[in-house]
Amino acid sequence: LTGISREQRAFQYLLAHAIPGDPHHILQTFDQWSYHCEHLSCVGPDKGRIVERVLLEQAPLRVLELGTYCGYGTVLLAQGLPPGARLYTIEGDPRHAAVAEKVIRLAGFSEQTVELIVGPSEEVIPRLREKHGLMNANLVFMDHWKRCYLRDLRLLESHQLLAEGATILADNVLFPGAPHFLQYAKTCGKYHCKVHRASLEY
């Protein structure tokens, strides 16, 4: 009725309640909004702890996120990066990207640390090396359309964008589910697979 999207409403709440330049507080404020006001399909704190653990264990220098949405996952990833690391995040919806850009900068991350790329992942991935300077990624976080998981993994492989020993972290593979992606990851012989059990966000 207001003509303002749910994502923009969430950002207005962030502006009113979050501490600028404090990524942890920005994520907490997002969580408060999603628990008490309107649901956002962000990673959330439960699954967020899995992401944080992977970042801590691996200290990846080049991270690729597929599906920026409002920037929650981006801030979560960016705050766990080791010094000198760079995060590339791809969002297909320009309206979501506009909100995410403001969230990422509000959290205090510059374009040198986090580069937001707007466009369909199948068009952006083939251009990542020559246009954006990503030689290969040590960690890929997939949180976009589940039907695109397998296609985009194959694209990353064919364009040699996965570093040796790279980790692919894919959200919601059981529900709503990405069965073809899971089947490929388990049977192609290129990956060791582990399913993390977690509740749905919020």
Side-chain angles (χ1 to χ4, degrees), residues 6 9-10 13 17 27-40 45 72 201-202:
R6 179 190 315 197
R9 289 196 292 272
Y13 183 82
H17 297 92
L27 294 177
Q28 279 187 325
T29 309
F30 253 130
D31 292 336
Q32 285 172 348
W33 170 266
S34 296
Y35 278 125
H36 304 297
C37 302
E38 292 180 280
H39 177 269
L40 292 173
Y72 183 106
E201 56 278 349
Y202 312 115

Side-chain angles (χ1 to χ4, degrees), residues 23-24 34 43 48 61 71 82 88 92 112 116 122 130 139-140 148 164 172 174:
H24 182 67
S34 296
V43 180
L61 287 174
Y88 302 80
Q112 281 65 49
L116 172 59
E122 72 272 21
E130 63 178 56
L139 173 67
V140 178
C148 302
E164 191 174 340
N172 295 338
L174 298 180

